[in-house]
Amino acid sequence: MRFIPLAVAATSVALIAPTAAQADSPGTRTPSAPAVTVPGGRYEHAVEVRFQAERGTTVRYTLDGTTPTRDSSVYSPGRPLRITKDTNVTAVAFHGNRSSVPVSYGYLIKTREKPLARLVVMSDVHVGSHKDADKKYESFFDTIGSIFPRPDAILSNGDMINDNGDGKGPDHRIVSEIFQANLARKGMTGTRLLISNGNHDASLAAIRAGYPADWFPDSGGGYYESEVKGLHVLTVNTETYDSDTAQRGWLRKRLAAITSDPAYTGKPVLVQGHRPTTGTTMDGQQAANPRLAEDLSAFPQTVLFSGHSHLNVNDDRSIHQRDFTSVNDGSMSYVEVDHGYQAVTENGLADRFETPTAQALFVEVYRDRTEIARVNMAADKHDIYTGGKWSANWQPPYASAGTLAGSTWTVRLKGSTNKEIKKNFRYTDTTRNTVAPAFTTSRPLSRVDGAKGGTALRIAQARDDQMVHHYTVDITDARTGAPVVSSKVLSDYTFMPRPNTLDIPVPGAVPGGRYVARVVAVDAYGNASPAASLAFRG
């Protein structure tokens, strides 16, 4: 999807071509995907969106992140959609029995209040060549520009390259060239770029050699302080933090000085460090540096951004507050989900914890709050494996660039004491979501023919106030009671739009054989729906 800068008139339209997988075959006509008159992005007012599609097609749309079907709302050319709040709009053009690829647009609707600073926070770039990254980062910077045309800073929080002790340090120059070219192309001449050290970044010397000096202005230990529009940004080196007494002393001293300044009351101290610290985001998965959590615990004004895990930001466990605020960055290369689940692939159920999607955070710091928008750089549905080979190198155009990966998180640092600030924290273990998903159709389960023959169980996806994380699926042979399928199946929540149904193959199903399915929808916090059941024949 090509984004148009906000300065362009709202009547500008860029049609989005269908992907190669949707190309016409002889004797058929696949419609092109609809275009919109107002591109996705950040606006300080409500917007009126019109679709433009080929003559003879019918455009249907959704506003809830699901894939439009023939039962979805029909767009009437004389009645534009009025978007008054943060929304993902997804549209499909239908023509006869054919349909276009779905395209999605994310809209962030703000007021005219001006933030103190705007920062993009990303991590895990993992670039190794111009060939693989040039077009991707053109698209990524177009998305950045559609939301923040002139960000005050971009924090790139470690793992810029793919070094595994194999001498790839010079690849930092490739990343530098790509980033500098796109900053210039987008006119982001005043944007600061601040880098942290990650476990795949070769060495501190390689980072210093690869980038302009002001992108990594450390004094020898890989940690440093910056100021962005009056905000303090502290970059720590999580590769050495626990054992680096000098770094620990520096961080505690600077935090104490900053937070004791009455003029800084209520403002966040932004800290970036590649690895998450213990007991914080995503229930502490892939965490390290327990002493970092210990040192930050006395400073509730701290907002710590971390990457490394690649764990997605769709999941609301990616923000955590107890003694301070921790936020997971997602990943610019591929995202992960927690382990122990399976996904529906072209080859049936398979163990998957990776998807070839990319995400970043768009942070706006106001006088009384910090707003953190979760944005997909690319979230088209693909398997991480193609032809049996692992690859996260999906190339643009992306039909999902700039869509929202969840609602905006708002951090307020209310209170005149540390105790009061912590008391007003919103994203704590004790305030976790307790609303269970629910199936919204009378028959959420059905028997269908599998894509490659055989029998499959179709699940009409449940709804949740945040997101359905997975389904527990149990299918048994009604005659013998033997289990046929017993799996936790991901809901494909990292993709935009989310598929409306999941087809679970029933391996070895005998024609005429009798089977019983039991399915429960579960959210990220373990809240579970009542079970849906179906008796069916193979």
Side-chain angles (χ1 to χ4, degrees):
M1 179 165 58
R2 182 170 69 87
F3 279 85
I4 303 169
L6 299 187
V8 176
T11 55
S12 298
V13 175
L15 282 171
I16 302 168
T19 63
Q22 291 284 321
D24 290 347
S25 57
T28 66
R29 178 175 177 273
T30 299
S32 297
V36 288
T37 54
V38 180
R42 180 191 184 278
Y43 294 89
E44 295 179 352
H45 52 78
V47 296
E48 292 191 344
V49 176
R50 293 173 172 83
F51 296 109
Q52 192 171 84
E54 295 175 347
R55 181 177 299 177
T57 62
T58 299
V59 175
R60 294 181 181 269
Y61 66 90
T62 62
L63 304 176
D64 61 359
T66 59
T67 304
T69 69
R70 295 179 187 279
D71 296 324
S72 299
S73 297
V74 176
Y75 168 68
S76 173
R79 300 181 63 184
L81 298 182
R82 183 172 173 81
I83 308 299
T84 60
K85 61 182 181 180
D86 296 355
T87 306
N88 281 323
V89 177
T90 303
V92 170
F94 291 91
H95 183 268
N97 62 356
R98 303 284 286 177
S99 61
S100 73
V101 295
V103 287
S104 299
Y105 306 86
Y107 297 89
L108 287 166
I109 307 299
K110 304 287 186 177
T111 68
R112 296 191 183 278
E113 180 185 5
K114 302 303 180 186
L116 302 176
R118 294 171 176 161
L119 306 93
V120 181
V121 182
M122 62 175 68
S123 67
D124 299 276
V125 167
H126 287 291
V127 162
S129 72
H130 280 285
K131 177 183 177 183
D132 292 341
D134 281 357
K135 292 299 182 183
K136 288 176 66 173
Y137 274 85
E138 285 184 11
S139 175
F140 292 169
F141 270 84
D142 285 348
T143 296
I144 292 172
S146 74
I147 298 172
F148 292 165
R150 304 290 185 270
D152 297 305
I154 296 174
L155 311 187
S156 195
N157 201 3
D159 279 7
M160 305 290 282
I161 64 170
N162 297 306
D163 186 87
N164 293 289
D166 49 1
K168 293 184 179 177
D171 286 356
H172 281 293
R173 293 193 182 94
I174 297 174
V175 186
S176 181
E177 291 165 0
I178 293 171
F179 276 50
Q180 289 190 77
N182 281 290
L183 289 168
R185 181 176 66 88
K186 301 301 293 183
M188 298 177 183
T189 54
T191 299
R192 302 277 302 279
L193 212 146
L194 304 172
I195 295 172
S196 75
N197 176 40
N199 54 298
H200 289 289
D201 282 325
S203 66
L204 299 180
I207 298 174
R208 295 185 200 110
Y211 303 100
D214 60 349
W215 289 17
F216 189 68
D218 78 316
S219 58
Y223 56 92
Y224 59 92
E225 181 175 355
S226 309
E227 186 176 305
V228 177
K229 301 297 284 289
L231 296 175
H232 292 278
V233 180
L234 307 180
T235 298
V236 297
N237 181 2
T238 57
E239 299 310 296
T240 62
Y241 189 85
D242 270 15
S243 60
D244 188 345
T245 56
Q247 181 178 184
R248 292 186 64 197
W250 165 81
L251 181 63
R252 291 194 300 263
K253 181 178 179 181
R254 290 304 303 136
L255 288 173
I258 294 166
T259 57
S260 65
D261 180 357
Y264 210 78
T265 300
K267 293 182 182 179
V269 183
L270 306 183
V271 178
Q272 70 164 340
H274 181 63
R275 295 178 189 256
T277 190
T278 51
T280 57
T281 57
M282 293 296 285
D283 296 333
Q285 296 176 64
Q286 301 191 39
N289 297 298
R291 288 180 175 174
L292 179 57
E294 175 186 328
D295 292 342
L296 295 179
S297 64
F299 304 102
Q301 284 178 245
T302 301
V303 179
L304 171 67
F305 293 98
S306 62
H308 179 65
S309 68
H310 291 239
L311 287 165
N312 63 90
V313 299
N314 308 77
D315 195 320
D316 277 275
R317 292 176 294 169
S318 279
I319 186 169
H320 179 275
Q321 292 178 309
R322 184 173 54 241
D323 297 318
F324 55 93
T325 302
S326 293
V327 187
N328 168 37
D329 303 341
S331 166
M332 292 290 282
S333 51
Y334 63 90
V335 305
E336 296 187 8
V337 300
D338 15 1
H339 292 213
Y341 301 92
Q342 293 190 305
V344 178
T345 74
E346 291 184 357
N347 297 314
L349 289 180
D351 295 338
R352 290 286 188 273
F353 60 89
E354 303 153 309
T355 65
T357 60
Q359 300 175 328
L361 304 175
F362 287 72
V363 180
E364 297 184 68
V365 181
Y366 294 87
R367 294 188 182 279
D368 63 344
R369 68 196 184 280
T370 299
E371 296 183 356
I372 304 171
R374 302 176 265 174
V375 177
N376 294 313
M377 295 293 175
D380 298 11
K381 181 172 171 54
H382 295 296
D383 191 357
I384 199 79
Y385 284 90
T386 54
K389 184 178 180 180
W390 191 95
S391 174
N393 191 33
W394 292 94
Q395 293 291 307
Y398 305 117
S400 56
T403 53
L404 311 181
S407 59
T408 294
W409 294 317
T410 300
V411 175
R412 296 183 186 272
L413 302 173
K414 296 173 62 177
S416 57
T417 67
N418 286 352
K419 184 177 181 179
E420 288 177 353
I421 294 172
K422 293 179 185 181
K423 183 179 179 180
N424 288 312
F425 277 168
R426 177 181 178 183
Y427 303 102
T428 65
D429 290 340
T430 57
T431 58
R432 282 187 160 188
N433 183 285
T434 58
V435 178
F439 291 105
T440 58
T441 63
S442 58
R443 298 189 60 180
L445 307 182
S446 58
R447 184 263 185 218
V448 296
D449 292 332
K452 293 189 174 183
T455 299
L457 174 72
R458 174 164 292 174
I459 303 172
Q461 293 231 45
R463 299 296 180 94
D464 187 65
D465 62 325
Q466 292 182 340
M467 69 175 200
V468 178
H469 183 274
H470 70 275
Y471 299 88
T472 59
V473 180
D474 292 288
I475 303 174
T476 58
D477 187 312
R479 183 178 63 84
T480 65
V484 179
V485 174
S486 182
S487 178
K488 295 179 179 179
V489 182
L490 292 166
S491 71
D492 279 350
Y493 64 85
T494 58
F495 299 123
M496 178 56 62
R498 185 193 69 170
N500 293 315
T501 60
L502 299 173
D503 288 354
I504 313 299
V506 183
V510 177
R514 294 183 296 116
Y515 302 90
V516 176
R518 183 180 185 275
V519 177
V520 175
V522 186
D523 71 10
Y525 296 108
N527 301 309
S529 74
S533 300
L534 178 71
F536 63 97
R537 291 187 178 273

